[in-house]
Amino acid sequence: MTYELEQLGYKKQVCQKCGNTFWSIRERATCGDAPCDEYEFIGNPVTDKQYDLMGIQKKFKGFFKDHGHTPINRYPVLAKRWRNDVFLVGASIYDFQPWVTSGMVRPPANPLVVAQPSIRLNDVDNVGRTGRHMTCFTMGAHHAFNTDETPIYWKNETLRYCHEFLVSIGINPEEITYIESWWKGGGNEGPSFEICAHGVELATLVFIQYATTKDGLKEIPLKIVDTGYGLERIAWVSQGTPTAYDATFGSVIDKLTDISGVELNTEILSENARIAGMMDIEDISDLKLLRKKVADKLSLDPDMLKKTTAPMEAIYIVADHTRCLSFMLADGIIPSNVKEGYLARLVLRRTVKYMNELGLNESLSDIMKMQVDYLSKTYPEIKDNKDHIINITDLEEKRYHTTLTKGKNLVKRSIKTLKKQNKKSFPTDMLINFYDSHGIPPETVEAISKENAFDANIPDNFYTQIAAAHEEEEEEEIEEMELNFPKTKLSFYDDLKQRTFTAKVLGVVDSNKIILNQTIYYPEGGGQPSDIGTITRVNGEVLNITYAQKVDGIVLHHVAKEDESKLDNIVGEEITGEIDSKRRDLLTRNHTATHLVIASAREVLGKHIWQAGAQKGLDKTRIDLSHYKRISHEEVQEIERLANKRVQENHPVNIQWYDRTDAEVKYGFKLYQGGIVPGKNIRVVEIPGIDVQACAGTHCEKTGDIGVIKLLRTERVQDGVERLEYAVSDSGIKKIQDDDDIIRNSSDVFGVDAEQLPRTCKRFFNEWKEQQKRIKSLEKQLAQVKIFSLENEIANINGYNVITEVLDVDNNQLREIAINLVEKEEVADIAILINNNGNIVASSNNKILEKGMKMGDVVNDIGKFLGGRGGGKPTLAQGAKMTDLSRKDEAFESVKEQIRSWN
């Protein structure tokens, strides 16, 4: 394991501070990592030349290319494209999990080198404050995947590569230490080294060698070299800047300081980073301790230091967060209140918060343009998505400010409620609900709480808590069915036109599910419903098949309940199966149409469009798309036009099975529009130049077979997801004809031609609105007349003017009269009016309320006599369904008796 280090002149030693075993060329008492050693590179660059992030990335990949590694492009930061357990890529090894690391699929190259942008939000509250924490960082990595048959390289070569790379950029080998460690995670583990120089960890070398089992460690057949070089940190030590942010963001920070007027105090920042390097910063209490230590070192007041550093920290946070957002948005994440969209919105709104603290006049999109322009030099895909990124940030910033305006009232109401409950602060779950459900950040809650003499009680690591709660996908628990049968051959893949087949019955499970050795029944999957049809036994008995289901590669044919009695002795029998041909044809056309619709939507709405779900049907089909705003009518029409154009062009639909790695190298992750497709080999459906997807569904041979695509409607199904509904083929034609019937019938009603219908409808609508205005005016006049006539009915009871009447008026007039009698005319202190429909309105002034009589109680008390109920404000309440008006006098008298009893 250590032979190569010995060959390179390294000797094993033990750190006198932490006790860890490490290797160094020179004799030393400490291991070289903080807190055993201080940062020695700040103000003192340790490499031959200074590298910015892009420069060290190029140097890193070039070095390993020269040493036999194939450079591969970065993967999207949205890991959900190929795995279902996490949302974001947190390290380069995520790129290869689970397919490559399990040994199922070969890697895209072996060995390979990659510079992978990685996102971790577990320390988001520390960003900008420690000099080193980031939400997004670039993990340089060289990976080798070793089997007994094909060994690539293992520990000695990995150690030598690391040593030679660090020395190649000018780091003194006598300052490099290799600390022995052990890595464990994701069910695997193995020995590792942490590589440090001048007090900072620069890389980690992991040798994934074992599976973690309840019986201990078990050797795995695929042994993986998993390395991670912190390219931002290497750029940092090469420049010797006060923080890693200065080395990473360069020109972006220069622009931010220019527009904000903030000056970066290198003495404070350098000392802060040095001391932070000696600390394991986990929460805000650590940050407070850090600030105190820095203040003591610089002989400054801690509060003054906090005030001085806050604007500088905000500069770094904005620079870091906008880089993180650039990758998130360019890779197709849509800010929302769920899943990965939640994390994007969290980062985005924190960015706006710190921009506000800096007092910037620029919009978020203005700042994003700076970051996008900077990153585009290395990542052209970010440049390609610039308009999309700017559009999203503009819209999200507006939504954020709207949310804050609405949220303030909710917080104020909540404070009142908690005070009534004698609570002195907000419970944490309420604060999280404010943010999760209403988008109200803790800073807003804190500001409003101060105004209302209430303790906001914001957890110090609030953002870290909520990020951690949303970083992993919640997997649905599915009850497993154990089936001891061979996998069913899916014969429909051999011939999609086949509608009948013969097969052997292998078994029956759950008394009604037939298992065959082969089938042409398509089992439900990928949003396509299953086939239905019949199975005919040798004795001529026909079994109706209502559903086909696939479990672990085995297709279960569900038999209709009325046919279950016909299953006796069927196992081992040769049967004849037939599927519903018309149903299969319609589903096939709908499935191919879905590929055209999503391709057209991407062209019209933008490259960020990603399928978020689909359900094919017979009468209509729907597809859910990730999109940041409502789809306009004009956009729907253009999507429909493009989709039908491609139908008319009659493109071929090519279907081919690929090795998974070959398919990904050729087409990229756009293959997985329909979701993650398991397996070493995947079925690729390509409409050349238009769309390509890994898809197991049935498809037409040519797009012209679809016939017609008619888009029906669009709706928002959740934040960041838009749904398109459409009909295809005969169903599409029927929808067009139905629309024609509606237009024709409407035209007949008005007695005009269809072309004149819009203008005629508008004229009638305007006339109707004018009539409504006149009616309301007349109702008010009628109500006024009623008021005059009622003034004579007012009774003075115990010094209060009371009126109780049953009127022949509609509900609106009833309310108008009751309010006017009390508020406008001021002729009554309390008015209780009922109409012939059994509706009641009770209105009163403050004189009545001061006596403790609330109108909601009055309405319910009267309802006890008349058979109804209601509610409302203390001075105005309404009710309905007063069905027994014969007792109205008793009801009214009960109210009057209360008034008479007042002192």
Side-chain angles (χ1 to χ4, degrees):
M1 174 177 175
T2 55
Y3 173 76
E4 189 63 31
L5 288 176
E6 292 175 348
Q7 289 289 97
L8 293 168
Y10 286 82
K11 299 175 183 177
K12 181 185 276 193
Q13 302 174 53
V14 176
C15 180
Q16 294 178 13
K17 288 189 176 180
C18 67
N20 286 332
T21 300
F22 69 95
W23 294 75
S24 172
I25 289 177
R26 66 178 174 88
E27 294 289 336
R28 55 186 298 156
T30 52
C31 61
D33 191 16
C36 302
D37 288 82
E38 293 187 8
Y39 288 173
E40 301 171 348
F41 58 88
I42 294 177
N44 182 32
V46 299
T47 57
D48 289 344
K49 59 178 285 189
Q50 293 187 358
Y51 295 94
D52 62 12
L53 178 59
M54 307 312 177
I56 196 63
Q57 181 172 314
K58 184 177 180 181
K59 179 76 174 178
F60 178 80
K61 293 181 76 172
F63 173 88
F64 282 96
K65 181 180 180 183
D66 293 342
H67 288 77
H69 294 69
T70 301
I72 66 168
N73 292 331
R74 75 171 184 94
Y75 279 45
V77 296
L78 184 57
K80 189 179 167 185
R81 294 287 185 255
W82 62 92
R83 53 189 295 185
N84 58 12
D85 55 336
V86 294
F87 295 127
L88 303 174
V89 169
S92 61
I93 196 65
Y94 282 39
D95 298 349
F96 313 108
Q97 294 171 323
W99 311 108
V100 174
T101 55
S102 67
M104 180 185 294
V105 175
R106 62 181 174 81
N110 198 11
L112 60 82
V113 61
V114 63
Q116 177 61 46
S118 304
I119 296 176
R120 296 181 189 175
L121 302 181
N122 58 316
D123 288 315
V124 67
D125 290 295
N126 296 338
V127 172
R129 293 164 170 163
T130 63
R132 69 179 188 269
H133 283 96
M134 298 180 179
T135 58
C136 181
F137 63 96
T138 312
M139 180 176 282
H142 56 101
H143 293 280
F145 304 89
N146 298 275
T147 63
D148 291 340
E149 297 78 19
T150 312
I152 306 300
Y153 65 78
W154 195 230
K155 298 167 188 173
N156 283 335
E157 295 89 336
T158 304
L159 291 164
R160 177 168 51 81
Y161 284 140
C162 181
H163 172 82
E164 290 181 359
F165 170 69
L166 294 178
V167 171
S168 75
I169 60 175
I171 296 179
N172 184 346
E174 293 191 356
E175 298 299 330
I176 302 172
T177 59
Y178 290 77
I179 303 172
E180 290 185 7
S181 188
W182 190 267
W183 175 88
K184 183 177 182 180
N188 293 111
E189 52 190 291
S192 66
F193 284 96
E194 295 166 2
I195 292 78
C196 301
H198 300 279
V200 66
E201 182 182 340
L202 299 178
T204 302
L205 313 178
V206 174
F207 303 96
I208 302 177
Q209 188 173 358
Y210 302 101
T212 308
T213 73
K214 62 181 180 180
D215 299 321
L217 299 184
K218 181 181 179 182
E219 286 265 357
I220 54 176
L222 182 68
K223 295 179 175 61
I224 302 168
V225 173
D226 174 20
T227 69
Y229 292 68
L231 298 186
E232 284 83 2
R233 290 190 178 189
I234 297 174
W236 187 14
V237 301
S238 82
Q239 295 184 39
T241 52
T243 74
Y245 315 121
D246 302 288
T248 300
F249 303 116
S251 62
V252 175
I253 287 178
D254 291 340
K255 290 176 181 176
L256 287 172
T257 53
D258 284 345
I259 63 177
S260 66
V262 173
E263 292 186 15
L264 301 179
N265 186 313
T266 56
E267 181 186 9
I268 291 177
L269 292 170
S270 298
E271 200 58 51
N272 185 79
R274 286 192 191 98
I275 295 175
M278 303 292 288
M279 299 174 62
D280 185 13
I281 307 291
E282 291 188 355
D283 55 38
I284 209 75
S285 61
D286 294 329
L287 289 169
K288 289 176 181 175
L289 178 61
L290 166 62
R291 195 166 273 127
K292 185 178 185 306
K293 287 185 175 182
V294 174
D296 292 344
K297 186 74 179 285
L298 298 174
S299 300
L300 294 172
D301 177 73
D303 290 335
M304 180 59 68
L305 177 66
K306 180 179 179 181
K307 186 176 180 181
T308 303
T309 56
M312 295 188 281
E313 292 170 353
I315 290 285
Y316 292 144
I317 291 169
V318 171
D320 167 89
H321 285 17
T322 50
R323 175 172 71 157
C324 185
L325 278 174
S326 295
F327 284 112
M328 283 179 150
L329 301 182
D331 289 352
I333 299 178
I334 302 297
S336 70
N337 55 14
V338 294
K339 300 186 178 182
E340 68 275 1
Y342 180 98
L343 301 174
R345 182 167 281 170
L346 183 153
V347 175
L348 188 149
R349 291 186 171 180
R350 271 179 57 88
T351 308
V352 176
K353 160 187 154 53
Y354 284 101
M355 286 173 56
N356 292 339
E357 289 190 9
L358 286 168
L360 299 182
N361 294 320
E362 287 75 10
S363 67
L364 175 59
S365 59
D366 290 332
I367 308 301
M368 287 298 297
K369 286 174 187 174
M370 299 177 190
Q371 188 67 262
V372 168
D373 289 343
Y374 176 66
L375 292 172
S376 293
K377 299 170 186 175
T378 302
Y379 303 100
E381 66 273 19
I382 290 181
K383 182 179 181 180
D384 293 342
N385 285 280
K386 182 176 181 178
D387 290 345
H388 162 65
I389 292 171
I390 299 308
N391 288 339
I392 286 185
T393 50
D394 270 339
L395 184 62
E396 280 293 313
E397 187 171 18
K398 289 174 185 174
R399 285 176 176 165
Y400 179 53
H401 290 305
T402 301
T403 295
L404 290 183
T405 302
K406 292 180 178 178
K408 288 176 181 178
N409 291 328
L410 174 61
V411 175
K412 288 176 183 176
R413 291 197 302 270
S414 300
I415 289 173
K416 287 181 181 178
T417 301
L418 290 171
K419 282 183 174 180
K420 288 179 181 178
Q421 298 170 357
N422 294 319
K423 301 285 180 63
K424 299 184 181 298
S425 64
F426 280 111
T428 300
D429 59 351
M430 184 177 283
L431 294 170
I432 292 173
N433 183 61
F434 281 155
Y435 190 89
D436 275 356
S437 301
H438 304 282
I440 307 169
E443 298 78 23
T444 299
V445 178
E446 193 165 39
I448 297 171
S449 296
K450 284 181 180 178
E451 294 172 2
N452 291 271
F454 195 72
D455 181 12
N457 192 31
I458 308 295
D460 293 331
N461 60 343
F462 179 83
Y463 285 106
T464 300
Q465 280 190 46
I466 58 176
H470 289 266
E471 276 193 311
E472 293 190 359
E473 176 75 277
E474 291 185 12
E475 294 187 51
E476 293 183 18
E477 290 189 13
I478 302 173
E479 187 176 346
E480 294 185 4
M481 180 184 292
E482 292 187 11
L483 298 171
N484 188 23
F485 294 93
K487 291 185 177 181
T488 309
K489 175 178 169 53
L490 305 178
S491 301
F492 53 82
Y493 284 143
D494 297 333
D495 182 5
L496 286 172
K497 292 183 177 179
Q498 190 177 359
R499 297 295 181 264
T500 61
F501 70 107
T502 58
K504 183 178 181 180
V505 178
L506 301 182
V508 176
V509 296
D510 294 345
S511 75
N512 71 328
K513 300 175 182 68
I514 296 176
I515 297 173
L516 306 173
N517 66 327
Q518 64 176 348
T519 187
I520 64 167
Y521 276 85
Y522 181 84
E524 181 170 6
Q528 180 172 327
S530 76
D531 287 323
I532 62 173
T534 59
I535 283 176
T536 304
R537 297 190 61 175
V538 291
N539 62 6
E541 286 185 318
V542 177
L543 310 174
N544 289 288
I545 304 301
T546 59
Y547 180 64
Q549 169 191 14
K550 187 163 73 169
V551 178
D552 293 332
I554 299 168
V555 177
L556 306 176
H557 303 77
H558 293 232
V559 176
K561 190 169 186 62
E562 61 269 20
D563 294 330
E564 290 179 16
S565 60
K566 303 175 184 177
L567 289 174
D568 291 344
N569 302 316
I570 195 173
V571 177
E573 191 174 296
E574 291 283 341
I575 58 89
T576 300
E578 182 175 2
I579 62 172
D580 184 323
S581 182
K582 183 178 180 181
R583 176 185 172 89
R584 164 68 77 83
D585 291 345
L586 279 171
L587 291 172
T588 295
R589 293 179 187 129
N590 272 281
H591 205 144
T592 305
T594 299
H595 287 219
L596 290 184
V597 170
I598 193 170
S600 301
R602 191 179 298 111
E603 188 167 335
V604 173
L605 304 175
K607 294 178 181 177
H608 63 280
I609 288 297
W610 196 267
Q611 182 175 317
Q615 183 61 50
K616 291 78 180 177
L618 300 175
D619 292 333
K620 60 185 178 182
T621 290
R622 69 171 188 262
I623 186 168
D624 296 338
L625 306 173
S626 57
H627 191 46
Y628 53 91
K629 62 179 180 179
R630 295 306 314 274
I631 302 174
S632 69
H633 175 66
E634 291 74 21
E635 288 169 333
V636 169
Q637 286 187 316
E638 182 60 15
I639 294 169
E640 183 180 78
R641 186 193 68 80
L642 271 176
N644 280 293
K645 178 175 179 285
R646 286 157 175 173
V647 170
Q648 294 161 13
E649 289 169 347
N650 203 23
H651 296 277
V653 180
N654 299 329
I655 300 175
Q656 187 175 345
W657 287 89
Y658 279 87
D659 172 271
R660 185 186 201 91
T661 301
D662 290 340
E664 289 178 358
V665 169
K666 183 173 182 178
Y667 297 111
F669 292 101
K670 62 183 179 182
L671 280 170
Y672 305 126
Q673 280 287 338
I676 300 166
V677 178
K680 181 179 186 302
N681 297 305
I682 58 177
R683 183 173 178 260
V684 176
V685 178
E686 181 182 18
I687 306 172
I690 297 172
D691 183 72
V692 60
Q693 293 185 40
C695 181
T698 61
H699 284 279
C700 305
E701 291 183 344
K702 291 190 173 183
T703 59
D705 297 341
I706 296 169
V708 68
I709 300 172
K710 173 61 181 172
L711 266 63
L712 306 176
R713 61 194 292 263
T714 177
E715 66 173 318
R716 168 154 287 187
V717 293
Q718 69 177 50
D719 195 15
V721 178
E722 296 292 311
R723 173 170 292 170
L724 283 175
E725 240 178 44
Y726 46 95
V728 169
S729 189
D730 293 346
S731 295
I733 293 171
K734 185 177 185 304
K735 294 296 182 184
I736 294 170
Q737 291 174 340
D738 289 346
D739 287 347
D740 286 342
D741 287 343
I742 292 170
I743 293 171
R744 188 183 67 254
N745 293 336
S746 300
S747 300
D748 290 345
V749 168
F750 289 109
V752 298
D753 293 335
E755 293 79 6
Q756 296 174 304
L757 189 58
R759 185 174 59 187
T760 303
C761 288
K762 185 176 181 180
R763 177 169 61 84
F764 271 85
F765 180 68
N766 288 335
E767 290 175 358
W768 174 81
K769 285 200 298 183
E770 286 300 318
Q771 288 175 347
Q772 289 300 304
K773 289 179 183 177
R774 290 175 190 170
I775 291 170
K776 286 183 180 179
S777 176
L778 290 171
E779 284 179 344
K780 285 186 178 181
Q781 293 175 35
L782 182 59
Q784 197 63 41
V785 171
K786 290 281 186 184
I787 290 169
F788 290 143
S789 67
L790 287 171
E791 289 181 5
N792 297 326
E793 305 300 326
I794 293 173
N796 187 283
I797 302 174
N798 202 7
Y800 298 93
N801 290 331
V802 180
I803 182 167
T804 55
E805 288 289 330
V806 176
L807 304 177
D808 184 16
V809 294
D810 64 24
N811 298 343
N812 292 331
Q813 287 177 302
L814 194 71
R815 178 184 170 88
E816 184 85 13
I817 294 169
I819 293 173
N820 284 351
L821 282 166
V822 175
E823 294 183 7
K824 294 183 179 180
E825 302 299 331
E826 297 182 351
V827 295
D829 296 307
I830 180 171
I832 304 171
L833 306 179
I834 303 174
N835 68 8
N836 294 325
N837 296 325
N839 292 288
I840 181 172
V841 178
S843 177
S844 72
N845 58 22
N846 287 330
K847 289 166 61 179
I848 299 295
L849 183 60
E850 286 168 2
K851 287 295 184 179
M853 181 179 280
K854 297 180 180 178
M855 294 303 98
D857 295 337
V858 168
V859 167
N860 281 322
D861 287 343
I862 290 176
K864 292 175 183 177
F865 289 93
L866 308 185
R869 59 179 302 173
K873 299 177 182 178
T875 58
L876 179 66
Q878 298 176 203
K881 298 182 180 178
M882 304 292 167
T883 55
D884 186 10
L885 296 185
S886 65
R887 299 185 65 192
K888 66 181 184 302
D889 293 336
E890 290 179 72
F892 290 153
E893 186 60 28
S894 69
V895 177
K896 294 174 183 177
E897 275 300 317
Q898 289 185 57
I899 297 173
R900 290 191 188 100
S901 67
W902 293 342
N903 295 326

